[in-house]
Amino acid sequence: MCSSDLIPGSSLAIDAITAFNREDVNYLADADASGDDAWVIAAQRRFQDFSQELRASGSSSDDRLLWMVGANYLSLDYKSHLNQTISVPPIPALNLPAYSNFGNNLASKEEIETLGLFGSIRYYVVKNISLGFEGRYQKDDVKAIPGGSASSMSESFTNFLPRLTADW
């Protein structure tokens, strides 16, 4: 987090928070626990997100009025890949050759993008009693691209959450 008093001697402060995460996972498993390679599952996944928040806050000269406004952004990507292999060794007595099936080779992806705007105002009526109003608007865009022959799906959601508080 980075914080700065923008104007020396005033109550105006600017805060910025930035984050980036990435996780890559690869694994291989013997799905039938038989000790041979009859049924093997290989999977990979990548999870990655980036977020940024910017916030400004301050107060009146007598500290009876406090305020804050801000915005945030989040981008999240999740990719996965699954491959199941079924192998059968040759069976000479039945004249059957070795067999491998690389079926269920599925890759899927999810993408989420979020934008939020928020703010608050609080007024101290007397020393220990205050009234406040807070609000947050958020828009989420969600997209899923499943593996196989399924078609992609996407949806957008918007919400506003107001809150009125009294503290004493």
Side-chain angles (χ1 to χ4, degrees):
M1 181 166 95
C2 178
S3 183
S4 172
D5 290 329
L6 193 59
I7 303 171
S10 77
S11 67
L12 180 62
I14 303 291
D15 298 304
I17 302 169
T18 303
F20 175 78
N21 298 295
R22 180 173 163 174
E23 175 186 88
D24 291 306
V25 176
N26 295 302
Y27 65 91
L28 186 65
D30 180 4
D32 64 357
S34 66
D36 59 21
D37 295 333
W39 186 11
V40 177
I41 296 177
Q44 301 86 33
R45 73 171 183 249
R46 171 177 283 171
F47 177 85
Q48 183 172 302
D49 70 73
F50 168 79
S51 63
Q52 175 69 55
E53 180 170 308
L54 185 62
R55 194 172 33 217
S57 61
S59 63
S60 62
S61 60
D62 61 1
D63 286 334
R64 290 182 70 182
L65 180 68
L66 306 173
W67 61 270
M68 185 266 306
V69 294
N72 73 319
Y73 171 79
L74 169 70
S75 174
L76 185 142
D77 292 315
Y78 177 77
K79 298 174 187 171
S80 64
H81 185 257
L82 175 65
N83 187 353
Q84 296 182 13
T85 302
I86 300 171
S87 298
V88 178
I91 306 172
L94 299 175
N95 197 23
L96 293 175
Y99 173 75
S100 289
N101 175 8
F102 294 94
N104 298 329
N105 190 355
L106 301 175
S108 62
K109 182 177 180 180
E110 296 175 28
E111 299 171 347
I112 299 173
E113 200 167 84
T114 299
L115 177 64
L117 304 171
F118 53 90
S120 69
I121 189 165
R122 174 160 304 283
Y123 182 73
Y124 283 86
V125 181
V126 294
K127 185 177 178 182
N128 293 322
I129 299 175
S130 68
L131 298 173
F133 176 76
E134 302 170 9
R136 179 178 180 83
Y137 168 82
Q138 183 166 310
K139 181 179 184 207
D140 298 294
D141 293 317
V142 180
K143 185 175 185 179
I145 306 167
S149 61
S151 57
S152 65
M153 301 167 281
S154 63
E155 188 70 46
S156 291
F157 306 93
T158 56
N159 290 297
F160 178 70
L161 176 65
R163 182 166 74 166
L164 184 62
T165 60
D167 294 336
W168 62 91

